[in-house]
Amino acid sequence: METYTFAVVGGGIAGISCAETLSALCPDERVLLVTASDLVKAVTNYQKLSRTLETFDVEEKPSSSVEADCPNVQVHKSTVTSLDAVRHELRCADGRTVQYDKLCICSGGKPKVISNGNKHVIGIRDTESVKVFQQRLTAARRIVVVGNGGIATELVYEIEGCEVVWAIKDKSIASTFIDAGAAEFFLPQLNQDKPDSSGPVKRLKYMPEGHTVSKKTSDDRPHGGALGPDWASSRKMAGAGQVCHSIHVEYNVEVHHVLDGTEMTTYGYSASEPFKAPQSHVSDSWPVYVRLSNGKVYGCDFIVSATGVVPNTQPFVGDNLLSVSPDGGIEVNSCMETSATDVYAAGDVCTASWEHSKHWLQVRLWSQARQMGCFAAQSMAAAVRGEKITPDFCFELFAHVTKFFNYKVVLLGKFNAQGLDAGHELLLRVTEGKEYVKVIIQDGCMKGAILIGETDLEETFENLILNGMDLTPFKEHLLDPNIDIDDFFD
Ligand code: FAD
């Protein structure tokens, strides 16, 4: 049996960030990375925009490139099938057993797919599943997208040449990230033509030799790492039709039933027509139908289920006394340690179970996967050296920058007033089509903000949230576009 000082499971952003950091911190120790996927995700072009905001690209690389970049890291391509945390042993699907001193589990999440196993329903998680989606889309005239998080929002914006019925369970779009007011700001973009995006694709993609798109369904193949920034904008997502953007949103609904034509007849349902001026393809029969909780039935070529992920804990929990939180993630403390000795976890698989700083919350995002992977490595390295480690500054303030509908979106602190009592106030500044600024104030202090567009306010607001300054005297002027707020607070 081979022995390693450090073992890391998972070739996503968390696992690769952890392995690379371990390699840099402990160049003389042996590190093993076990990953089920052919390709791994590496963070490149990392830029710090402010104390807590960061941007980066994600490159898909062959796993061998990690060995080339980090000489003390060995990559083993296999699926871990079990963990014996007492004996410090990992078992892999190819029969290999590995002994470790410290282990970090970074096995990510699995998509929660409605009507799983139905050939007309696709879940989106990794590069492979996006390829399957793109291929099916080329022949599609109408699809139904179910879900209201980042994946669904980006997809709906990017798809062209295909009618989209977007079924969401909330009263406003993209509600995982933004409030109803910001959703109103984006609504006019839904049916508008997209700006020309024929620029170069930032992300490099590699395919292992002889690789073809797997015919397996999402359930019976190993999951690759979740996608990274620009996953949607860098791909052609075009259907078979002529329309540029044609989107119909059904609010406050869930999918009650996925049916085929025979079941439609059996139940005596008839399909509704969602579009006022549908494409010429309108037909009486579709490959699949969805019946929504509001009783409406829509036919389509296929359904995209973008209804979130669940932590992928299966081979690790079992008899290992790993505490699992109610959301299904492996609980970790502020040093990313699980409840099992010498076992750490990071990224989508874990649940941050320490007492959070008042401006931070866990959201399963690539920025947090990177931060947790790096910090778990620091914590593991400190543990083998017998040193103490203090929680990282990145867990002081929630900060995320992304793009929706081609607008820059910055989320800071309790951006949706998460966990705040009813006494908080909202300050708003909206310029239609240009910017949307929302600030959350409680007891005179800024607690969070949503900044959409090129507002240039992120750094000042980050400081105001962190330093807890009493803004009562300035509240009236805080969002006054005629005041240079940067100078004001300098
Ligand atoms: P993953 O990337 O899921 O990696 C898990 C790795 O573990 C994989 O390599 C897998 O093969 C491996 N693995 C799993 N089980 C085993 C096993 N038993 N043995 C060996 N290896 C195993 N985040 C944002 O910040 N902004 C966004 O706009 C955004 N959009 C997204 C869009 C999509 C379509 C998706 C799917 C996710 C999106 N996310 C977004 C979320 C973000 O991608 C994830 O939070 C992040 O990538 C998680 O990284 P991870 O390393 O924890 O897990």
Side-chain angles (χ1 to χ4, degrees):
M1 192 188 315
E2 291 163 88
T3 303
Y4 293 83
T5 312
F6 302 113
V8 179
V9 180
I13 296 174
I16 297 300
S17 303
C18 182
E20 286 177 348
T21 310
L22 282 170
S23 168
L25 293 175
C26 307
D28 300 326
E29 303 291 352
R30 275 159 50 88
V31 182
L32 180 72
L33 174 75
V34 187
T35 179
S37 49
D38 294 323
L39 300 169
V40 298
K41 309 268 170 181
V43 169
T44 58
N45 301 329
Y46 176 80
Q47 273 183 300
K48 240 179 148 34
L49 303 181
S50 66
R51 270 204 282 176
T52 53
L53 275 170
E54 55 187 30
T55 59
F56 50 83
D57 297 335
V58 174
E59 277 185 25
E60 284 188 332
K61 292 183 170 184
S63 48
S64 54
S65 70
V66 180
E67 291 178 344
D69 294 344
C70 307
N72 59 331
V73 177
Q74 267 180 41
V75 181
H76 181 54
K77 198 202 151 286
S78 185
T79 302
V80 171
T81 49
S82 68
L83 162 70
D84 185 333
V86 175
R87 296 161 75 105
H88 286 53
E89 278 176 22
L90 280 178
R91 265 165 241 118
C92 300
D94 60 359
R96 189 169 167 184
T97 303
V98 173
Q99 195 141 43
Y100 61 83
D101 293 340
K102 307 272 175 209
L103 165 70
C104 189
I105 302 169
C106 305
S107 50
K110 288 194 291 198
K112 275 191 275 180
V113 179
I114 56 160
S115 203
N116 209 353
N118 184 321
K119 65 177 181 190
H120 297 300
V121 181
I122 296 180
I124 300 236
R125 172 73 191 163
D126 50 14
T127 312
E128 188 95 0
S129 58
V130 176
K131 282 181 193 299
V132 171
F133 164 75
Q134 283 175 292
Q135 274 183 3
R136 299 259 316 247
L137 186 64
T138 53
R141 302 149 298 161
R142 178 180 297 166
I143 64 168
V144 172
V145 175
V146 186
N148 201 15
I151 302 175
T153 308
E154 288 204 60
L155 262 190
V156 163
Y157 178 66
E158 293 298 336
I159 293 169
E160 292 176 299
C162 180
E163 291 172 344
V164 178
V165 177
W166 188 9
I168 63 177
K169 67 175 180 358
D170 316 284
K171 61 179 188 323
S172 60
I173 62 165
S175 65
T176 314
F177 293 107
I178 54 168
D179 64 340
E184 280 291 316
F185 174 85
F186 282 129
L187 270 186
Q189 310 300 320
L190 268 189
N191 283 304
Q192 257 175 34
D193 291 358
K194 276 171 53 198
D196 179 26
S197 58
S198 50
V201 174
K202 263 193 305 180
R203 183 151 51 110
L204 298 174
K205 301 182 201 77
Y206 295 82
M207 293 295 274
E209 239 168 85
H211 184 93
T212 51
V213 175
S214 168
K215 295 272 182 301
K216 290 179 175 179
T217 63
S218 55
D219 241 20
D220 53 11
R221 65 174 173 77
H223 290 284
L227 296 150
D230 86 344
W231 69 274
S233 56
S234 63
R235 293 163 197 274
K236 190 159 174 54
M237 298 200 186
Q242 299 298 320
V243 288
C244 188
H245 255 165
S246 189
I247 298 155
H248 169 81
V249 188
E250 280 289 336
Y251 295 95
N252 293 312
V253 290
E254 287 184 28
V255 172
H256 266 188
H257 209 163
V258 175
L259 324 104
D260 60 21
T262 318
E263 289 168 307
M264 286 285 285
T265 315
T266 311
Y267 292 112
Y269 295 143
S270 54
S272 310
E273 174 49 55
F275 295 96
K276 282 200 188 95
Q279 294 178 58
S280 51
H281 57 66
V282 174
S283 64
D284 289 337
S285 83
W286 291 94
V288 65
Y289 296 82
V290 283
R291 184 164 172 270
L292 303 175
S293 48
N294 60 5
K296 290 186 187 164
V297 180
Y298 293 122
C300 61
D301 288 302
F302 66 91
I303 299 159
V304 178
S305 172
T307 37
V309 294
V310 279
N312 186 16
T313 57
Q314 194 275 319
F316 308 101
V317 282
D319 301 330
N320 287 311
L321 303 176
L322 284 175
S323 297
V324 173
S325 104
D327 75 354
I330 298 174
E331 292 188 334
V332 290
N333 65 16
S334 60
C335 295
M336 310 308 296
E337 291 166 312
T338 70
S339 53
T341 310
D342 296 326
V343 180
Y344 298 68
D348 280 9
V349 73
C350 79
T351 298
S353 299
W354 63 85
E355 195 180 329
H356 298 171
S357 112
K358 56 186 178 202
H359 304 306
W360 190 82
L361 66 155
Q362 183 181 13
V363 185
R364 291 186 166 91
L365 295 168
W366 43 66
S367 46
Q368 292 197 350
R370 191 199 72 79
Q371 291 163 344
M372 286 179 169
C374 292
F375 188 60
Q378 290 171 33
S379 184
M380 292 159 82
V384 295
R385 294 177 184 144
E387 294 166 1
K388 283 231 167 313
I389 186 158
T390 48
D392 196 272
F393 188 73
C394 66
F395 302 120
E396 275 301 302
L397 174 75
F398 175 85
H400 186 62
V401 56
T402 185
K403 266 197 168 178
F404 282 144
F405 303 97
N406 218 28
Y407 285 86
K408 180 177 174 185
V409 177
V410 177
L411 307 172
L412 292 172
K414 302 289 175 80
F415 58 94
N416 259 338
Q418 297 94 332
L420 301 185
D421 63 39
H424 64 268
E425 332 167 40
L426 305 179
L427 306 180
L428 268 185
R429 179 170 99 198
V430 187
T431 315
E432 212 177 300
K434 189 163 175 261
E435 60 165 23
Y436 175 95
V437 179
K438 182 179 88 172
V439 169
I440 292 131
I441 304 272
Q442 192 177 44
D443 302 327
C445 302
M446 194 182 291
K447 299 293 177 186
I450 296 181
L451 311 174
I452 300 173
E454 295 300 327
T455 66
D456 216 14
L457 293 169
E458 49 269 34
E459 205 164 350
T460 310
F461 282 9
E462 177 188 59
N463 288 332
L464 290 177
I465 296 173
L466 282 169
N467 67 24
M469 183 176 185
D470 183 359
L471 297 168
T472 312
F474 321 105
K475 230 169 41 187
E476 300 297 302
H477 308 290
L478 198 62
L479 297 187
D480 184 339
N482 300 314
I483 292 179
D484 186 343
I485 193 165
D486 248 354
D487 283 355
F488 194 75
F489 285 105
D490 267 356

